[in-house]
Amino acid sequence: MHAPHGEYFPLLTAQSRTWNAQIGDLTNPVFSICDYLEIRGPVNPDLLRAAHLQVEREADALRLGIITVEGEHRQFVHPDPTPLRWVDLSARNDPAAAAAAWMAEDVHRPVDPLRLCGAAVIKTADDRFLLYWKVHHAVVDGWSLALIFNRTAVVYNALSEGRNHEKGMLQPFERLRESEAAYGEGKRFFADRAHWHSKLANHPEPIGPSRRRAQVTAGRRLRHELTPDRVARLGEVADGLGVTWSDLAISTVAAYVGSAARAPEVLLGLPTAGRLSPQVRNAVGMAMNILPLRVPFDDGSSLVGHAQRVSREVRELLLHSRYPTAELSREITEQGGSGRLWAAMVNVMLFDHRLDFAGVPAIQHTVSIPLTVDMTVYLIQIASDGTMEIILDTHPDLYSAPESEVHLTGLLSMFDAIEKAGPHTPLRSLCPGPEWPRASTG
């Protein structure tokens, strides 16, 4: 069978994991990433369309479609970019509410396997625009979406100043295909397998704060913004502890989960970009992998000891982050385990944002449907001034709405306590008090 749009080629391992979950029900919208930039000022529509077309030409993963050929999933690249939709809601009585409703409707649309990515500009006022992207997780990951937003801004700014916009800044999808083929045939694959089987030997059954289990589902989402000065203060704490901002955030979530679940060990799901070489760092596509971060929890440990231990574990995990999580889960199951590698998850996304359009600032927001197996904590940089958003997604069968609110408050109180703590403060002094919803040990 010949591809009507060119060559058919197999899905990458990370793509297959997501598409196999999607293909049984194309009406299920939970596997799409839906984010937008809030552009707080006027933009030139023609320049924005031109920037969009340039980014689509560079990032061919945005033009991927998936079909089934003789029982196997295959993908192809559309030759032409998808036009940028222009939606003018500025005349509505409440343009912001109309924009939110428009995006919510689009987020919940059924999946079109032949067109898995699309973008729109929503005008809500002469000086307020939303650049919205909906990309399917089987072809584009969160790292890639940040690249797309940044590249669109860079090209727009170059066009507005009459400068060359340096074609080729985004690497083609083919780079990810080449990288995966080389990894699967090399020694690194087998070294990573040995590492993970050793790391997970006799691992405990993963538990979250609820101490119960459930299947992955759409979750309940809560948000809180971390101001730039607060982010900076936490950065100073991290520097004093000899760890990165990201390490401090991950170690805080690990301590929170360990304390709430009363667990001597914590297995946290940790998403990784899956891009260990410069050749694929700017490649747009689906390369994200999730692997278990295994750390002990002792509430008598000092803040510095715990943070540095977690930092070492994160560095080690990243060195072996290419090994496919689906393969690891299958192998653990064959050895008699449940195959469950984590309960709670944490995802820290610190991007090199250059989010302005000819001097007009932009802030990134997500309207994706939350998907979780227990509790997921995101810490996402949303603006170039360092502003971050902490997002808590909780499983509706494991956490009630009031419990979810208390857990978000508990996490924020831990960050507050860490700002004021000394390096040798014991973790038990930083965890929330007895009023929070501790898990039942029964």
Side-chain angles (χ1 to χ4, degrees):
M1 182 176 183
H2 297 288
H5 302 283
E7 176 194 4
Y8 288 146
F9 47 92
L11 275 62
L12 301 179
T13 301
Q15 292 183 279
S16 296
R17 182 179 71 239
T18 302
W19 193 247
N20 286 336
Q22 174 72 85
I23 194 62
D25 181 8
L26 293 177
T27 66
N28 186 349
V30 299
F31 297 104
S32 289
I33 305 173
C34 304
D35 284 14
Y36 69 93
L37 295 184
E38 179 188 1
I39 305 174
R40 299 181 170 183
V43 296
N44 183 315
D46 292 334
L47 294 187
L48 198 52
R49 289 189 183 97
H52 167 78
L53 289 175
Q54 178 58 37
V55 170
E56 281 239 348
R57 292 188 187 101
E58 291 182 18
D60 52 350
L62 296 173
R63 294 181 273 121
L64 285 171
I66 300 178
I67 63 173
T68 301
V69 180
E70 297 179 352
E72 295 188 13
H73 304 313
R74 293 288 186 268
Q75 57 191 329
F76 63 92
V77 179
H78 285 277
D80 300 317
T82 304
L84 180 67
R85 289 178 287 175
W86 197 271
V87 182
D88 189 348
L89 301 176
S90 59
R92 298 288 183 89
N93 291 333
D94 188 342
W102 188 95
M103 289 187 288
E105 181 180 357
D106 190 74
V107 166
H108 287 86
R109 290 186 193 279
V111 174
D112 179 0
L114 300 183
R115 285 287 183 182
L116 292 165
C117 300
V121 173
I122 306 171
K123 178 181 178 181
T124 58
D126 289 340
D127 61 351
R128 194 59 55 97
F129 297 82
L130 310 179
L131 175 57
Y132 165 84
W133 268 102
K134 179 179 181 179
V135 298
H136 198 281
H137 216 329
V139 293
V140 174
D141 55 24
W143 176 276
S144 298
L145 191 54
L147 292 176
I148 292 162
F149 279 138
N150 281 343
R151 181 62 178 153
T152 303
V154 167
V155 175
Y156 180 94
N157 291 337
L159 291 172
S160 70
E161 298 170 10
R163 294 185 286 105
N164 187 300
H165 45 72
E166 301 179 78
K167 293 181 180 179
M169 293 298 290
L170 297 180
Q171 297 300 309
F173 183 70
E174 179 66 20
R175 296 289 180 270
L176 293 176
R177 294 175 61 196
E178 294 169 348
S179 176
E180 176 162 298
Y183 174 72
E185 297 169 358
K187 296 179 180 178
R188 187 74 256 172
F189 177 88
F190 298 99
D192 287 347
R193 172 187 283 172
H195 165 81
W196 284 110
H197 281 259
S198 174
K199 172 61 67 175
L200 296 178
N202 301 314
H203 70 84
E205 182 69 11
I207 58 170
S210 73
R211 292 185 65 90
R212 292 180 289 137
R213 292 184 55 169
Q215 298 299 313
V216 63
T217 192
R220 179 182 291 110
R221 173 160 286 176
L222 299 171
R223 306 170 184 265
H224 183 87
E225 192 170 287
L226 300 179
T227 60
D229 59 331
R230 188 174 185 188
V231 173
R233 290 196 301 272
L234 287 168
E236 292 172 0
V237 172
D239 290 342
L241 297 174
V243 300
T244 67
W245 201 104
S246 179
D247 291 338
L248 178 63
I250 294 169
S251 63
T252 300
V253 174
Y256 185 91
V257 171
S259 177
R262 297 181 179 176
E265 270 194 293
V266 175
L267 281 165
L268 281 180
L270 188 68
T272 69
R275 294 164 168 84
L276 295 185
S277 68
Q279 290 78 14
V280 296
R281 182 173 176 80
N282 289 334
V284 173
M286 173 51 171
M288 185 268 287
N289 196 25
I290 307 174
L291 287 162
L293 181 72
R294 183 179 184 180
V295 292
F297 174 72
D298 177 358
D299 66 1
S301 296
S302 66
L303 173 61
V304 64
H306 174 70
Q308 291 186 355
R309 183 184 301 113
V310 170
S311 178
R312 290 191 298 270
E313 292 293 338
V314 170
R315 300 286 84 71
E316 185 178 66
L317 182 150
L318 293 175
L319 287 174
H320 303 278
S321 61
R322 293 289 304 278
Y323 198 69
T325 184
E327 183 75 4
L328 181 58
S329 179
R330 181 187 62 78
E331 291 166 350
I332 295 296
T333 301
E334 289 176 352
Q335 294 174 1
S338 69
R340 184 178 171 93
L341 302 179
W342 59 81
M345 283 180 52
V346 58
N347 194 358
V348 182
M349 292 179 273
L350 303 176
F351 299 123
D352 180 19
H353 278 295
R354 296 179 294 277
L355 295 178
D356 73 88
F357 291 76
V360 175
I363 294 180
Q364 185 171 344
H365 303 277
T366 182
V367 288
S368 301
I369 298 172
L371 194 64
T372 187
V373 72
D374 184 279
M375 170 186 289
T376 304
V377 182
Y378 296 91
L379 292 107
I380 308 173
Q381 183 182 346
I382 60 173
S384 57
D385 64 2
T387 301
M388 296 193 68
E389 188 173 44
I390 180 168
I391 296 175
L392 175 65
D393 292 344
T394 55
H395 197 295
D397 294 338
L398 301 181
Y399 305 94
S400 67
E403 286 174 334
S404 300
E405 293 278 0
V406 172
H407 280 302
L408 177 60
T409 300
L411 281 165
L412 292 171
S413 74
M414 278 200 71
F415 282 110
D416 285 340
I418 285 170
E419 279 188 42
K420 304 174 182 66
H424 299 290
T425 302
L427 294 180
R428 66 171 65 94
S429 299
L430 305 174
C431 294
E435 71 279 0
W436 69 324
R438 287 186 177 273
S440 168
T441 57

